Amino acid sequence: MSAESYHGMSVLWYTEWLSPHEAHVHGILELVFDGHTKYQRVTIARTGSFGLALFLDGFAQSTEYDEFIYHESLVHPAMITHGNPRKVLMIGGGEGATLREVLKHESVERAVMVDIDEELVNLCRKHLPEWHKGAFDDPRAELVFMDGKKLIEETKEKFDVIILDLTDPVKGTPGVLLYTKEFYEEVRDRLNPGGVMVTQATSLRYYERAFAVIYNTVASVFPVARRYRVFVPSFYSDWGFVLGSLGRDPLEVPREEIESKLTKLQLRYLDPEQYRFLFAMPRYLTERLSKYKEVSTLSNPLEL
Ligand code: SAM
C-alpha cells in the first residue's frame, strides 16, 4: 500500500497484481482491517470504485459493488442443474455470500460450509454483513472450520451439490490441492446419484491456462463437465466456473424449468437471459483454451 496524491486528493493506493505485466490499483477511502490470520493476509478496505472489498494475500475476493454477480453465478447453475438439492456442502466461501445464495433455495434442508480460516470468517461476519445477510444464523446452516480436503477424506456423509468457493491455486496457499484430479474424485464419491459439483475456476483473462486446466481436470472425473463465465467488473475480467455432474447436463435442463426457478429466486444478476449467456464461449476463446491439454494432479498440481 502506498500514499500518493491524485488531483489534489490524498488517498491510499492498494496494488493488486493481475499478472507480471498488469496491476489494478485501488484507491482506498478507509482501511477497515489489515493483518494476518494463521493462513493468509486479510485486507478489508472501502475502495473508491467498488465500495467495501475483501483482499486475501493481495487478491480481490469480492466487493460490495458486484459480489452478487460472482456468487449468483457460482451457486445457481449447479443448484438448478441438480433440480432438487436438499443437502449442500460448500468448501471455502469465507464471506458467507455463497451460503446466502444456497439458502435461497427452499428445497435445501442442510447447508454445510467448511472453511479453513475461522479468523477470516469471523472478520467477514463482523465487517461484511451485506455479504452474509445473517446466513450464518440460519438453522439449516452448519459451519465447520477445517481443511476442506481433510473433511472430504474423512466424512461419510453424501451431498446433492458440492460448491468449491476457494482461493485461487496460488503456490503456497491452502487451496492448491483442492484443484486436483484426486480431490475431484473424492468430491465425486461424496455426491448422491445425480449430484453436481461446481468450482470457481479463476480469471479467463489473467489465468487462461488455469481455467483450461481446471476444466480438463473436472472433465477427467465427471461424466458431464461444462465451463462457463461471467464478467465481474471489479476483477476486470470474465470469471470462470467449471461444473461437473453425475446427472443432468446443465445445457439440457428445460428452459421453462430454468425460467420458473429464476423467477422464484428473484436474483439481482441472473435472469433467464443472463443465464443463457453464461455458457456461451466465443470461438477465439475456445481455440485458445484448446491448446492446454494438462490435468492437475497431486504429484503435478496446477499452481499460479
Ligand atoms: N471469490 C473468491 C475468489 O475470487 O477467489 C473465493 C472466495 S472465498 C474468500 C475463498 C475461501 O477459501 C477463503 O475463505 C479461504 O479461507 C478458503 N480456503 C482456502 N483453502 C481452503 C481449504 N483448503 N479448505 C477450506 N477452505 C479453504
Side-chain angles (χ1 to χ4, degrees), residues 13 19 30 61 65 77 95 101 108 118 153 166 178 185 213 217 266:
W13 298 99
S19 82
E30 181 196 357
Q61 302 294 306
Y65 175 78
E95 303 100 316
E101 292 303 317
V108 172
E118 182 168 7
E153 282 161 8
L166 294 155
L178 289 80
E185 284 167 349
V213 171
T217 310
Q266 284 293 311

Side-chain angles (χ1 to χ4, degrees), residues 116-128:
I116 201 167
D117 195 342
E118 182 168 7
E119 280 175 271
L120 167 70
V121 174
N122 288 336
L123 286 165
C124 293
R125 219 171 167 152
K126 179 169 171 201
H127 297 296
L128 306 177

Side-chain angles (χ1 to χ4, degrees), residues 40 54 56 60-62 70-71 91-95 114-117 120-121 146-149 165-168 174-175 178 200 235 239:
Q40 47 215 341
L54 169 70
L56 294 180
Q61 302 294 306
S62 55
Y70 169 90
H71 289 108
I91 303 186
E95 303 100 316
V114 49
D115 198 291
I116 201 167
D117 195 342
L120 167 70
V121 174
M146 68 187 282
D147 178 7
K149 186 165 181 301
D165 185 16
L166 294 155
T167 36
D168 294 343
L178 289 80
Q200 78 93 354
F235 294 164
W239 205 256

Side-chain angles (χ1 to χ4, degrees), residues 34-66:
D34 189 32
H36 286 87
T37 66
K38 188 172 158 202
Y39 297 99
Q40 47 215 341
R41 178 177 171 196
V42 180
T43 307
I44 298 176
R46 191 173 300 284
T47 67
S49 295
F50 297 105
L52 269 181
L54 169 70
F55 299 89
L56 294 180
D57 290 330
F59 296 104
Q61 302 294 306
S62 55
T63 76
E64 191 177 359
Y65 175 78
D66 56 11

Side-chain angles (χ1 to χ4, degrees), residues 20-37:
H21 317 288
E22 224 176 308
H24 184 170
V25 186
H26 301 265
I28 303 297
L29 304 180
E30 181 196 357
L31 189 58
V32 177
F33 179 88
D34 189 32
H36 286 87
T37 66

Side-chain angles (χ1 to χ4, degrees), residues 1-211:
M1 245 170 292
S2 64
E4 274 173 44
S5 156
Y6 171 75
H7 287 235
M9 256 170 60
S10 180
V11 273
L12 203 56
W13 298 99
Y14 184 94
T15 305
E16 178 189 10
W17 286 100
L18 300 170
S19 82
H21 317 288
E22 224 176 308
H24 184 170
V25 186
H26 301 265
I28 303 297
L29 304 180
E30 181 196 357
L31 189 58
V32 177
F33 179 88
D34 189 32
H36 286 87
T37 66
K38 188 172 158 202
Y39 297 99
Q40 47 215 341
R41 178 177 171 196
V42 180
T43 307
I44 298 176
R46 191 173 300 284
T47 67
S49 295
F50 297 105
L52 269 181
L54 169 70
F55 299 89
L56 294 180
D57 290 330
F59 296 104
Q61 302 294 306
S62 55
T63 76
E64 191 177 359
Y65 175 78
D66 56 11
E67 59 78 15
F68 62 94
I69 302 178
Y70 169 90
H71 289 108
E72 289 181 10
S73 303
L74 171 68
V75 169
H76 300 297
M79 302 289 279
I80 289 174
T81 298
H82 181 278
N84 187 32
R86 293 189 299 119
K87 281 172 60 173
V88 179
L89 173 68
M90 286 145 279
I91 303 186
E95 303 100 316
T98 297
L99 179 62
R100 175 196 77 207
E101 292 303 317
V102 163
L103 292 171
K104 286 183 180 170
H105 290 257
E106 282 171 1
S107 61
V108 172
E109 294 164 5
R110 176 167 157 74
V112 182
M113 168 179 155
V114 49
D115 198 291
I116 201 167
D117 195 342
E118 182 168 7
E119 280 175 271
L120 167 70
V121 174
N122 288 336
L123 286 165
C124 293
R125 219 171 167 152
K126 179 169 171 201
H127 297 296
L128 306 177
E130 283 306 308
W131 273 247
H132 56 79
K133 289 198 159 76
F136 293 125
D137 301 318
D138 190 292
R140 295 171 294 166
E142 183 186 329
L143 215 48
V144 182
F145 296 110
M146 68 187 282
D147 178 7
K149 186 165 181 301
K150 194 156 186 283
L151 178 125
I152 281 284
E153 282 161 8
E154 289 177 0
T155 185
K156 297 275 169 287
E157 194 170 356
K158 290 206 170 190
F159 297 88
D160 299 313
V161 172
I162 299 182
I163 298 172
L164 308 176
D165 185 16
L166 294 155
T167 36
D168 294 343
V170 176
K171 198 176 167 87
T173 60
V176 170
L177 300 182
L178 289 80
Y179 290 86
T180 59
K181 183 170 196 272
E182 291 83 349
F183 178 69
Y184 294 144
E185 284 167 349
E186 280 165 334
V187 167
R188 178 197 59 201
D189 295 346
R190 301 268 50 86
L191 283 169
N192 286 319
V196 179
M197 81 122 222
V198 66
T199 179
Q200 78 93 354
T202 80
S203 158
L204 267 77
R205 176 72 193 87
Y206 299 106
Y207 302 120
E208 175 184 282
R209 176 176 165 265
F211 177 66

